[in-house]
Amino acid sequence: MTTKSPSADRRPHKAAADPARVVVDICDVHKSYGLVEVLKGVDLQVRAGEVTVVLGPSGSGKSTLLRCINHLEKVKRGTVTIDGELIGYRRVGDKLHELREREVLRQRTHIGFVFQNFNLFPHLTVEENLVEAPVSALDVPRAQAQERAERLLERVGLRDKATAYPGQLSGGQQQRIAIARALALEPKVLLFDEPTSALDPELVGEVLDVIKDLARAGTTMIVVTHEIGFAREVADNVVFMDEGRIVEQGTPGDVLDSPRHERTRTFLSKVL
């Protein structure tokens, strides 16, 4: 008989998704900087509508893994596939050939990325930050992009900030705008690299609430974070990394409440 983890009942109810469809397929990914091997053969699958939370100490390779997914970092060995499309390369026979930058940029429109430090364009208004990429990268008519921006600003609770500039907003508001900007391209997966680490503690909740709402809507996400409570509440799959490897993964109940590996237990004892 299968027992339900204590965290399962608290997880947000999700919109229906195709649980059989693998959106992100990471296969034997290795990454080095000079002689330093940062990723040492990472394998990970994320299915449609799943929220995968990646935990681990600083230097474990979490952020590098995210950057390899959208080819901001080139892998040394292995492959990353998004919804069946090989990222950064094309296969010819048994060889991989790197794509041109223009082709990679097209692929990145399918992969939303929310950074630690917002990365908004300071010279553009909030609405312009959301409109620019759909118009320039996807040839979306400006009027249509503006309508989408209005809906997204409403979704993150900042419709009244459309004409403001990023420098006029709090850190929490800027991060919510960054999330809306990533959604403006209607990506197949959203990547979050410690989205609350640059925020004052009282602003963390407003950003996590937006991510929880996305989880309820069935958005496929990979979230690197140190927020254990968030992982327990929202994640379908928790991954613990250390020294460039996935040490263990499973449900929040499995990894957070009953970790199998000593390294995971040691890490959690210091952060819980």
Side-chain angles (χ1 to χ4, degrees):
M1 184 175 74
T2 302
T3 56
K4 192 183 286 186
S5 74
S7 59
D9 289 335
R10 295 196 297 272
R11 244 168 277 153
H13 175 71
K14 296 191 174 217
D18 178 6
R21 181 165 63 95
V22 175
V23 176
V24 182
D25 191 0
I26 299 167
C27 182
D28 192 31
V29 163
H30 293 249
K31 172 66 183 177
S32 298
Y33 297 107
L35 298 177
V36 180
E37 193 173 14
V38 180
L39 298 177
K40 304 173 183 177
V42 174
D43 294 293
L44 180 65
Q45 288 189 336
V46 181
R47 300 184 184 277
E50 281 187 348
V51 179
T52 293
V53 170
V54 183
L55 306 174
S58 297
S60 60
K62 308 182 300 297
S63 295
T64 300
L65 178 62
L66 287 190
R67 294 174 66 84
C68 286
I69 292 173
N70 73 347
H71 206 63
L72 283 174
E73 298 287 354
K74 300 175 185 178
V75 302
K76 178 181 179 182
R77 190 168 83 234
T79 59
V80 175
T81 303
I82 301 294
D83 213 14
E85 182 178 11
L86 191 63
I87 300 300
Y89 301 90
R90 70 179 184 278
R91 191 183 299 276
V92 179
D94 60 351
K95 293 186 178 180
L96 296 179
H97 298 267
E98 189 169 6
L99 298 177
R100 296 177 180 176
E101 183 64 18
R102 182 176 179 180
E103 295 172 292
V104 174
L105 290 174
R106 177 193 60 79
Q107 291 185 327
R108 286 189 186 134
T109 64
H110 301 305
I111 309 167
F113 204 124
V114 179
F115 298 85
Q116 296 180 32
N117 295 313
F118 325 135
N119 283 18
L120 298 173
F121 296 115
H123 63 290
L124 299 180
T125 67
V126 163
E127 184 177 88
E128 289 167 344
N129 264 278
L130 272 63
V131 167
E132 181 62 29
V135 170
S136 61
L138 298 180
D139 294 323
V140 174
R142 183 166 293 274
Q144 181 180 332
Q146 288 172 333
E147 290 177 7
R148 184 185 299 171
E150 290 174 4
R151 292 195 301 271
L152 289 170
L153 290 175
E154 186 74 36
R155 185 173 186 178
V156 300
L158 292 171
R159 180 66 189 88
D160 62 327
K161 300 297 184 181
T163 60
Y165 287 88
Q168 298 172 312
L169 306 178
S170 71
Q173 289 172 331
Q174 289 188 61
Q175 192 61 296
R176 285 149 66 191
I177 296 300
I179 294 171
R181 184 179 64 176
L183 290 169
L185 290 170
E186 299 184 336
K188 296 177 179 179
V189 60
L190 268 181
L191 310 178
F192 292 85
D193 188 7
E194 299 191 20
T196 61
S197 65
L199 301 179
D200 292 332
E202 66 268 23
L203 302 178
V204 169
E206 66 186 59
V207 173
L208 293 183
D209 284 344
V210 171
I211 303 175
K212 291 174 188 178
D213 180 65
L214 294 175
R216 294 185 190 96
T219 307
T220 307
M221 295 184 280
I222 302 176
V223 185
V224 169
T225 184
H226 292 294
E227 300 287 342
I228 303 298
F230 168 80
R232 189 184 302 279
E233 183 177 354
V234 176
D236 299 291
N237 187 37
V238 174
V239 172
F240 176 71
M241 290 187 67
D242 188 45
E243 296 185 348
R245 294 185 174 91
I246 292 179
V247 175
E248 67 178 298
Q249 61 178 304
T251 67
D254 290 338
V255 176
L256 301 178
D257 299 328
S258 305
R260 292 176 291 118
H261 291 268
E262 179 60 32
R263 183 66 187 93
T264 315
R265 290 194 290 270
T266 301
F267 174 80
L268 291 173
S269 71
K270 295 177 180 179
V271 298
L272 287 177

